[in-house]
Amino acid sequence: MAHITLNQYLQQVLEAIDSRDGAFCAEMLSFKHPHVANPRLQLSSPEEKSMHLHSFQAHKEENWALPIMFAATLDLRIFANNAEQQLQSKGKGKVGDMLEKAAEQLMSCFRVCASDNRAGIDDSKKWGMLFLINQLFKIYFKINKLHLCKPLIRAIDSSNLKDDYSTAQRVTYKYYVGRKAMFDSDFKQAEEYLAFSFTHCHRSCQRNKRLILIYLLPVKMLLGHMPTHQLLKKYDLMQFADVTKAVSEGNLLLLNEALVKHETFFIRCGIFLILEKLKIITYRNLFKKVYHLLKTHQLPLDAFLVALKMMKVEDVDIDEVQCILANLIYMGHIKGYISHQHQKLVVSKQNPFPPLSSVS
Amino acid sequence: MAANAAQQAPTPNWPYGSNSSGESKVHENPEWEKARQALASISKSQNSTKTSPTNHTTQQTGPYQATDSSAMQQQQQQYYQQWYQQNQQQYAGYPYPYNYYYPMPPYGGPYPPGQYGVPGGYQTPATPTGQAPAMPMMEDQSIRPGYQGYQTPAYQPPQQQGPGQGLYGGPGRVDAKKPNNSNMNKGGQQLWQRMKQAPGSGAVKFNIQKRPYVMTNQNFPSGDQAPGLASPTATNPSPGSVAATSTTSTGAAQTRPQDWPQAMKEYVQRCFTACESEEDKDRTEKVLKDLLQSRLQDGSAYTIDWTREPLPDLKTKQSRWEAVPQRSQENAIGRGGATRGRLGARLGNYRNVFSQRSPSSSSSHSSRSSSRSPSPHSRHRDRSRHHRSDSGSQSDSSMSSDPRLPLSRRQQKGGRGRGAGRERGRGAAGERGRGRGKANRGRRNMEDLASGIGKKRKGGNAGLDFHDPNREAKKQSRAARFHTKLRTEPLVLNINVFDLPNGTQEGLSWDECPIVGTCQDITKNYLRLTCAPDPATVRPISVLRKSLIAVKTHWKSNQDYLYACEQMKSIRQDLTVQGVRTDFTVEVYETHARIALEKGDHEEFNQCQTQLKALYKDCSSDNVGEFTSYRLIYYIFTKNSGDLTTELVYLTPELRADPCVAHALELRNAWALGNFHRFFKLYQNAPRMAAYLIDKFVERERNLALRAILKTFRPSVPVEYVQSSLAFSDLDSCLAFLTGLGVTFTPSDPSKIDCKVSSASLTTL
């Protein structure tokens, strides 16, 4: 394959098209295919591929060309990515410009697919929607335009095919939707999507599973599920180990240290701000310990102040303690109230610290 | 096959391009359509496409064709529209509907001389060189009107390529085929048209144009000659052209499909049969067109043994056009972006034609003129014209429904200054029509020829232009010569071309064409630029420095934000225009950002922030930290955790150490954890102007905090605590805030809030 002539190559492509063998044709056209490395085929310029994006639309009532579109759009995105990087390294161009242009193209393909209402379900180009959406997600997440995802998600939500796409596509889709939900602080939904993604991701895709876990872990922790040490080890996510330990122990100090230590990693993954919210859980666990130590339902606020100081929380005062407690009560992590007059936290006699999974 | 395919891929354009898409194509097409029809059995899909009205075409044809046809439709529509417009104006006497449906009739023989008035218009086109084909330039405008009237007829044929046209060629046929054409709107119309048409008119017209077509290449260079010549030439047709005309007409006669030697027709058939794919057919079509035209013109078509004629070798032919693919690519990229695929490239021709309406229109105009004369030739022409018109009317229904039509029409008119041209054309037409005698005819012939050439050239241009990467540049330079401002592209095109601005943008980039201002005014009102800046109104940096100081002092003493903002904007504009990106620029933006922040003008503030972010990459400033912190706080305001995270990624340790940034980070931390106590403490200690920014959302945070407080404290909480926690400066403002939310105070002690009751009422808010 690496040494065929241009004619041979084109012949093969043509045959694939004639026989409507979309998958093979896609393989031929993809820039992942070995023909790209073949110097004798260098005439086949990028122009060639993009044309297929357009010819695609005209094929009414058939969808055999979907694989071609997949290959072409995938290449398009990768090209845009590379172009973006090259431009950036040269200090030229607007950030995300290339990617946005690619997204525009993908959108036009998406519109074609989404508007294919006439064809029967088997021949519908709607089967291409999810793939395109996933590609678009990748771009939007990269250029930080998550709000653009909304209409796409809506399109899938209202689609009757949403559960019938290939597992691979659904895993990707749910991964991104889960991430988006996480950023939107909709942790319940994020957990649901990311968990689906994780459990359905193919076992050979360890890297993908790890990626999913990076977002699934914080969400799970926020909802009160702590990962086991083995899991973290298996997926090489030991950065979370200390965080997990700190949260479950209510060890605010350790948590702060862990966050600082792996800050770069967390920030790069975009989960730093989520992990930070674990502090609230940590407060809760810490205060729960105070409660267990004092064994009373009327807890002096000073006790919490001492606990916080022990955790080396600087310049904290009684007002701030009230503030933290107020938040915990407001969010449902503590059942009780503060008596401002007596400077005491009065907790419920039954289940004053409800399990995290039942909260929020 | 493989070889073919190889050639095809790169060259999708060349067939069209070679044809000199413009009018020549138009005229030729009808014939070809006929030929194709004859071959209907062979090239089924193609024929079917063409035969059916344009609307249907899409489905039947291959993907490419479908698109093409649609593109053509658009063209057609526009042309038609143009024509229609003109027609209406010119022939005011005619009832509207009549014109509308039967656009062509006015030109038909039966018409009063007034109709022929157009010829005047056509003269202009006649000068091949004169009208720069490409150019919808201002100078051309006067001429143009005339053309435009003609445009429609000329263009329609290609679209209508369908059998209908072929039919029209021969009178007898017309009847037979009419049903096809008339599908949509016309039964009666066609009849009417037919009656008006002179028998056998159609073919001649095509011929004439063909001739020019052959000459295209030769003429083409001339086409690029100064456009200014156009009008003069037009009025004074060169005598030489007359002679040429006669030949042309004869050639034209030969070309009529009916007259084709049977052997030749069979040859054509063979060629198409040999094709394996649609692309092949397309290519073959082009090659054949070239070949047959030359043969027909030199007469060898009737002498050679067609049965021995080798099938066209696409390869060799292609070599001629080797350059084209590249061009087309470039073009495609420039215009449509890389996205336009092969299809796009192909479409490109059509689109291009479309976009170049004005040139094409001019050419079409000339073609029209040719049809105008009462001479036998003219009659033929008329006929052909009718066909076209017919087809035009067919498509009309679909077109009229097109919402874009009015727009495009307007564009054409407004953009090109057509209106004036039209007037002129009309006047000329009137004169012409009256004077149309034999002499006139001769003249007309000349003109025809000339126009044909021009057309050719033009057509060639239209077609080739598309491929010409320098076209825009040329156009611009030409425009520059006349100090006219040209749209870089016709508006219509822009719809399809999202990438268009590329070239222009880069060309206009301030970095690349720095100017140095000469204006010495310290103050200057801001006026949004709508054209290239004039150095005389731009202030150099030295003056701008004084301006900045003046604005600052004015602001300090008067606090007149409107004035300050306007002055700052004009300073910014002058800096931008001159491409100044220095520390001074940073200072200007920082100043403006602060002023805007102080007055809560977040639009301006954000503009400045965006600029500053970019500027800080190049210019250092002591205030990087300050404005970074503003950005962070602004993200808190917009709750944009995504951007916030990105911002965090780029925070260097040094930047984090900056007091402003550190404060902003702490604020963010407190905000994220809902730690309102800390949040408001930080708010009270905000450095520099951060407090102004926090003011933007402090209310929101207070609201949230109050809810937490009311839900947490039992049985009551003192107002004082709320006041200090939520950083109210005094009790009154706190009370105003609380009562505004409908908070209930303890009956026994108004200084305490009844949390339970208030909480309930607050949640219902």
Side-chain angles (χ1 to χ4, degrees):
Chain A
M1 181 47 81
H3 298 292
I4 57 168
T5 65
L6 181 59
N7 280 348
Q8 284 170 315
Y9 168 70
L10 289 170
Q11 181 78 39
Q12 288 186 29
V13 174
L14 209 72
E15 276 167 14
I17 292 173
D18 284 346
S19 62
R20 318 228 137 161
D21 184 351
F24 179 68
C25 187
E27 193 196 326
M28 295 295 296
L29 289 174
S30 166
F31 273 60
K32 286 180 180 165
H33 192 264
H35 83 260
V36 175
N38 186 344
R40 297 167 79 178
L41 295 186
Q42 279 180 355
L43 267 184
S44 56
S45 61
E47 273 296 293
E48 182 191 5
K49 63 195 326 359
S50 48
M51 48 185 90
H52 285 274
L53 298 184
H54 287 261
S55 62
F56 178 65
Q57 178 168 15
H59 290 284
K60 301 260 189 238
E61 319 261 326
E62 44 188 312
N63 64 357
W64 63 268
L66 278 177
I68 304 178
M69 184 193 68
F70 291 169
T73 48
L74 183 61
D75 283 344
L76 174 66
R77 186 180 62 78
I78 293 169
F79 283 158
N81 229 339
N82 291 340
E84 178 82 19
Q85 279 173 5
Q86 284 183 18
L87 280 180
Q88 290 309 309
S89 65
K90 287 181 203 156
K92 278 196 226 160
K94 251 190 339 190
V95 181
D97 210 24
M98 288 295 128
L99 287 168
E100 274 178 45
K101 278 182 183 158
E104 261 181 68
Q105 286 316 298
L106 292 175
M107 259 328 268
S108 65
C109 286
F110 173 75
R111 272 182 225 113
V112 171
C113 289
S115 60
D116 186 11
N117 290 321
R118 277 183 301 169
I121 208 77
D122 289 337
D123 295 330
S124 173
K125 281 195 269 287
K126 290 195 181 231
W127 289 108
M129 281 168 70
L130 200 57
F131 181 89
L132 290 171
I133 285 179
N134 287 336
Q135 297 302 317
L136 283 166
F137 277 171
K138 288 177 192 182
I139 292 178
Y140 291 155
F141 271 78
K142 195 153 227 150
I143 61 178
N144 245 322
K145 301 227 164 139
L146 293 198
H147 61 280
L148 296 174
C149 298
K150 213 172 184 181
L152 302 178
I153 295 173
R154 214 180 297 134
I156 287 300
D157 280 347
S158 63
S159 162
N160 45 5
L161 297 177
K162 65 180 163 193
D163 295 328
D164 299 325
Y165 289 103
S166 78
T167 309
Q169 288 182 16
R170 278 190 296 155
V171 165
T172 312
Y173 173 76
K174 300 228 171 186
Y175 166 69
Y176 282 108
V177 177
R179 277 181 67 183
K180 184 176 186 305
M182 185 188 78
F183 287 128
D184 294 342
S185 301
D186 187 352
F187 299 116
K188 280 262 164 69
Q189 213 200 9
E191 185 199 17
E192 184 192 320
Y193 280 119
L194 290 169
F196 174 95
S197 214
F198 184 70
T199 51
H200 288 80
C201 185
H202 197 276
R203 71 172 67 178
S204 67
C205 302
Q206 291 298 298
R207 193 179 150 270
N208 283 349
K209 291 198 120 180
R210 182 173 183 267
L211 284 177
I212 298 168
L213 270 186
I214 286 177
Y215 300 97
L216 183 57
L217 287 180
V219 172
K220 282 271 191 190
M221 283 195 274
L222 272 179
L223 297 176
H225 304 284
M226 298 300 156
T228 64
H229 201 71
Q230 294 96 307
L231 182 80
L232 296 179
K233 210 159 191 178
K234 182 180 175 190
Y235 289 99
D236 187 25
L237 288 171
M238 292 312 285
Q239 294 94 331
F240 287 94
D242 278 348
V243 176
T244 313
K245 184 161 174 267
V247 171
S248 43
E249 288 176 356
N251 191 338
L252 208 56
L253 186 60
L254 181 62
L255 179 67
N256 284 334
E257 282 171 1
L259 285 181
V260 171
K261 190 174 168 193
H262 301 291
E263 188 175 11
T264 332
F265 171 78
F266 293 142
I267 286 182
R268 290 218 171 267
C269 295
I271 54 172
F272 183 82
L273 299 184
I274 307 293
L275 289 178
E276 205 177 39
K277 286 198 200 297
L278 287 175
K279 264 189 196 173
I280 294 172
I281 313 288
T282 316
Y283 282 134
R284 171 215 179 250
N285 290 345
L286 178 65
F287 292 169
K288 191 178 172 187
K289 280 190 173 173
V290 173
Y291 161 74
H292 280 306
L293 283 173
L294 295 180
K295 294 190 171 78
T296 169
H297 296 292
Q298 300 193 357
L299 305 160
L301 295 180
D302 286 336
F304 298 107
L305 187 59
V306 171
L308 287 175
K309 292 242 160 125
M310 195 186 85
M311 290 299 163
K312 296 199 177 160
V313 181
E314 313 276 317
D315 57 88
V316 68
D317 58 20
I318 205 74
D319 278 349
E320 187 163 348
V321 171
Q322 292 188 40
C323 171
I324 293 170
L325 283 170
N327 269 310
L328 287 171
I329 294 171
Y330 183 59
M331 295 163 90
H333 288 305
I334 297 178
K335 282 190 187 172
Y337 65 87
I338 298 173
S339 167
H340 188 264
Q341 194 180 357
H342 302 102
Q343 292 290 297
K344 280 194 175 171
L345 171 70
V346 182
V347 293
S348 159
K349 284 180 182 154
Q350 281 182 347
N351 202 10
F353 293 87
L356 287 169
S357 46
S358 71
V359 179
S360 71
Chain B
M1 187 63 214
N4 282 346
Q7 293 174 356
Q8 288 172 357
T11 43
N13 296 331
W14 76 263
Y16 292 103
S18 67
N19 291 345
S20 64
S21 59
E23 312 153 359
S24 60
K25 182 165 105 203
V26 174
H27 296 289
E28 293 160 7
N29 277 338
E31 294 177 357
W32 279 102
E33 290 316 315
K34 288 183 194 172
R36 280 194 170 189
Q37 289 179 355
L39 305 173
S41 56
I42 306 164
S43 47
K44 236 189 313 182
S45 60
Q46 287 184 351
N47 279 342
S48 65
T49 321
K50 313 226 166 167
T51 331
S52 61
T54 8
N55 292 341
H56 299 278
T57 324
T58 337
Q59 295 192 353
Q60 296 179 351
T61 14
Y64 301 113
Q65 290 192 346
T67 339
D68 287 352
S69 68
S70 64
M72 292 173 67
Q73 244 182 348
Q74 282 188 346
Q75 290 182 0
Q76 208 180 1
Q77 290 180 355
Q78 295 203 349
Y79 288 110
Y80 179 76
Q81 187 90 8
Q82 289 182 346
W83 182 88
Y84 171 56
Q85 255 185 314
Q86 287 195 346
N87 202 15
Q88 258 193 319
Q89 295 192 0
Q90 292 183 356
Y91 312 102
Y94 271 88
Y96 172 87
Y98 173 80
N99 280 337
Y100 185 74
Y101 288 106
Y102 308 87
M104 296 320 286
Y107 296 108
Y111 255 91
Q115 305 164 352
Y116 294 85
V118 187
Y122 89 59
Q123 273 191 350
T124 11
T127 58
T129 19
Q131 307 173 346
M135 306 347 12
M137 327 218 11
M138 311 289 289
E139 333 111 282
D140 282 6
Q141 285 181 353
S142 57
I143 300 174
R144 201 170 307 148
Y147 306 168
Q148 290 180 351
Y150 280 112
Q151 281 183 348
T152 354
Y155 267 98
Q156 290 177 350
Q159 300 167 346
Q160 307 257 350
Q161 292 176 358
Q165 295 181 350
L167 302 176
Y168 285 109
R173 282 181 168 194
V174 175
D175 288 346
K177 299 245 178 171
K178 264 187 185 172
N180 290 342
N181 278 344
S182 55
N183 292 345
M184 328 212 71
N185 26 1
K186 343 222 168 140
Q189 302 175 354
Q190 287 196 350
L191 276 179
W192 184 89
Q193 285 185 355
R194 226 202 300 163
M195 285 163 52
K196 301 237 170 183
Q197 294 174 358
S201 54
V204 178
K205 191 184 187 177
F206 296 131
N207 289 337
I208 292 180
Q209 280 166 355
K210 276 186 184 176
R211 230 281 174 71
Y213 169 72
V214 177
M215 305 168 68
T216 312
N217 287 334
Q218 302 162 356
N219 293 334
F220 185 58
S222 65
D224 280 338
Q225 295 178 358
L229 297 183
S231 39
T233 356
T235 31
N236 313 326
S238 66
S241 61
V242 181
T245 323
S246 60
T247 38
T248 319
S249 58
T250 47
Q254 293 173 353
T255 335
R256 260 192 288 173
Q258 306 99 306
D259 301 339
W260 290 359
Q262 184 59 29
M264 189 176 104
K265 288 182 193 164
E266 280 165 2
Y267 169 75
V268 171
Q269 196 165 348
R270 255 185 295 135
C271 291
F272 279 112
T273 331
C275 297
E276 294 175 39
S277 68
E278 292 295 311
E279 285 100 293
D280 270 2
K281 282 175 191 165
D282 283 347
R283 200 117 45 81
T284 310
E285 190 192 350
K286 307 305 170 195
V287 176
L288 275 181
K289 221 184 273 182
D290 274 350
L291 180 86
L292 295 192
Q293 273 171 2
S294 56
R295 290 258 186 247
L296 285 170
Q297 273 168 4
D298 63 14
S300 60
Y302 302 90
T303 55
I304 66 166
D305 183 355
W306 281 104
T307 55
R308 289 215 203 125
E309 188 76 1
L311 293 185
D313 181 358
L314 298 177
K315 266 185 191 169
T316 51
K317 277 279 176 184
Q318 192 192 2
S319 65
R320 226 170 110 201
W321 299 95
E322 259 167 8
V324 174
Q326 191 198 349
R327 275 197 211 148
S328 69
Q329 273 185 3
E330 283 177 312
N331 225 330
I333 293 168
R335 277 223 196 140
T339 42
R340 237 209 256 158
R342 186 206 286 159
L343 177 62
R346 242 232 197 147
L347 274 181
N349 283 328
Y350 289 104
R351 277 200 204 137
N352 190 18
V353 173
F354 185 43
S355 66
Q356 295 183 349
R357 201 174 336 170
S358 55
S360 60
S361 67
S362 60
S363 60
S364 61
H365 175 245
S366 60
S367 68
R368 203 235 226 146
S369 62
S370 63
S371 60
R372 184 90 3 86
S373 73
S375 73
H377 288 304
S378 69
R379 267 196 271 142
H380 289 283
R381 277 178 223 132
D382 281 349
R383 245 261 203 90
S384 64
R385 223 208 285 121
H386 278 285
H387 292 288
R388 282 181 213 136
S389 67
D390 233 1
S391 55
S393 58
Q394 276 186 355
S395 56
D396 182 30
S397 62
S398 59
M399 289 169 170
S400 56
S401 64
D402 187 343
R404 279 167 302 184
L405 256 188
L407 174 70
S408 61
R409 192 211 264 163
R410 222 179 303 135
Q411 286 169 350
Q412 292 176 350
K413 234 210 237 166
R416 303 265 164 90
R418 234 224 235 136
R422 204 186 295 138
E423 300 270 336
R424 232 219 223 163
R426 225 189 280 148
E431 179 208 333
R432 268 293 160 74
R434 252 167 258 141
R436 79 172 134 69
K438 284 236 167 144
N440 224 356
R441 205 213 273 164
R443 203 220 208 155
R444 190 203 72 234
N445 279 345
M446 290 188 326
E447 285 172 355
D448 273 357
L449 174 70
S451 70
I453 293 168
K455 233 183 271 166
K456 237 341 161 212
R457 180 179 49 80
K458 227 166 260 162
N461 254 352
L464 292 176
D465 251 277
F466 174 63
H467 305 288
D468 184 358
N470 296 327
R471 194 189 65 153
E472 285 309 315
K474 283 186 196 162
K475 205 198 265 188
Q476 296 285 11
S477 69
R478 255 174 282 148
R481 250 186 277 152
F482 296 89
H483 297 291
T484 55
K485 234 207 151 195
L486 249 200
R487 242 195 264 291
T488 40
E489 291 272 22
L491 286 181
V492 191
L493 239 192
N494 294 353
I495 296 170
N496 297 329
V497 179
F498 56 89
D499 212 17
L500 190 171
N502 248 1
T504 6
Q505 276 178 351
E506 276 165 18
L508 289 179
S509 166
W510 301 121
D511 303 336
E512 292 168 24
C513 51
I515 64 168
V516 176
T518 57
C519 178
Q520 296 298 315
D521 301 341
I522 303 274
T523 61
K524 179 181 130 181
N525 286 340
Y526 174 75
L527 194 66
R528 192 177 174 134
L529 279 182
T530 53
C531 58
D534 176 7
T537 62
V538 173
R539 294 164 291 180
I541 301 183
S542 55
V543 178
L544 288 175
R545 286 185 195 279
K546 293 180 204 157
S547 307
L548 181 61
I549 293 168
V551 176
K552 274 183 177 171
T553 45
H554 187 275
W555 168 247
K556 273 174 202 152
S557 51
N558 299 332
Q559 294 280 306
D560 180 354
Y561 180 67
L562 282 183
Y563 173 84
C565 182
E566 172 152 11
Q567 290 303 316
M568 291 308 296
K569 279 178 86 143
S570 74
I571 293 176
R572 278 163 50 187
Q573 185 186 61
D574 286 352
L575 288 170
T576 310
V577 162
Q578 298 176 86
V580 178
R581 291 172 70 87
T582 62
D583 293 352
F584 176 66
T585 318
V586 173
E587 190 190 342
V588 168
Y589 277 99
E590 284 176 353
T591 309
H592 194 183
R594 288 197 185 106
I595 294 177
L597 190 54
E598 190 173 339
K599 281 297 163 186
D601 184 346
H602 287 266
E603 241 175 73
E604 289 299 330
F605 175 74
N606 282 333
Q607 279 185 25
C608 294
Q609 272 281 50
T610 317
Q611 284 298 320
L612 282 172
K613 191 178 178 184
L615 281 168
Y616 283 149
K617 282 181 192 158
D618 306 335
C619 316
S620 63
S621 163
D622 296 339
N623 303 317
V624 177
E626 178 188 349
F627 284 91
T628 306
S629 74
Y630 294 161
R631 199 170 311 121
L632 287 170
I633 295 172
Y634 194 80
Y635 289 144
I636 299 175
F637 167 50
T638 56
K639 297 189 190 173
N640 192 337
S641 57
D643 282 344
L644 207 47
T645 309
T646 345
E647 194 69 36
L648 290 180
V649 174
Y650 293 109
L651 281 187
T652 59
E654 301 84 62
L655 216 48
R656 279 172 187 269
D658 182 281
C660 289
V661 177
H663 171 268
L665 288 175
E666 270 195 75
L667 189 82
R668 186 208 58 75
N669 191 329
W671 169 76
L673 297 181
N675 193 335
F676 51 84
H677 176 78
R678 198 169 276 262
F679 177 89
F680 287 108
K681 232 160 76 178
L682 289 166
Y683 166 60
Q684 283 173 317
N685 301 323
R688 308 228 181 162
M689 303 180 67
Y692 284 109
L693 207 50
I694 304 174
D695 276 339
K696 196 80 184 163
F697 58 99
V698 74
E699 199 84 333
R700 178 183 81 194
E701 300 305 322
R702 275 175 178 159
N703 219 318
L704 280 175
L706 186 66
R707 280 162 198 262
I709 290 173
L710 293 183
K711 189 167 180 207
T712 303
F713 289 92
R714 291 292 184 275
S716 60
V717 68
V719 174
E720 260 175 59
Y721 173 78
V722 174
Q723 184 204 329
S724 66
S725 290
L726 305 191
F728 282 105
S729 53
D730 53 58
L731 197 60
D732 286 345
S733 59
C734 180
L735 283 173
F737 170 77
L738 292 174
T739 47
L741 286 174
V743 166
T744 318
F745 299 95
T746 317
S748 55
D749 182 359
S751 71
K752 287 186 178 172
I753 301 170
D754 185 333
C755 291
K756 205 167 184 178
V757 179
S758 302
S759 185
S761 70
L762 205 63
T763 45
T764 58
L765 272 180

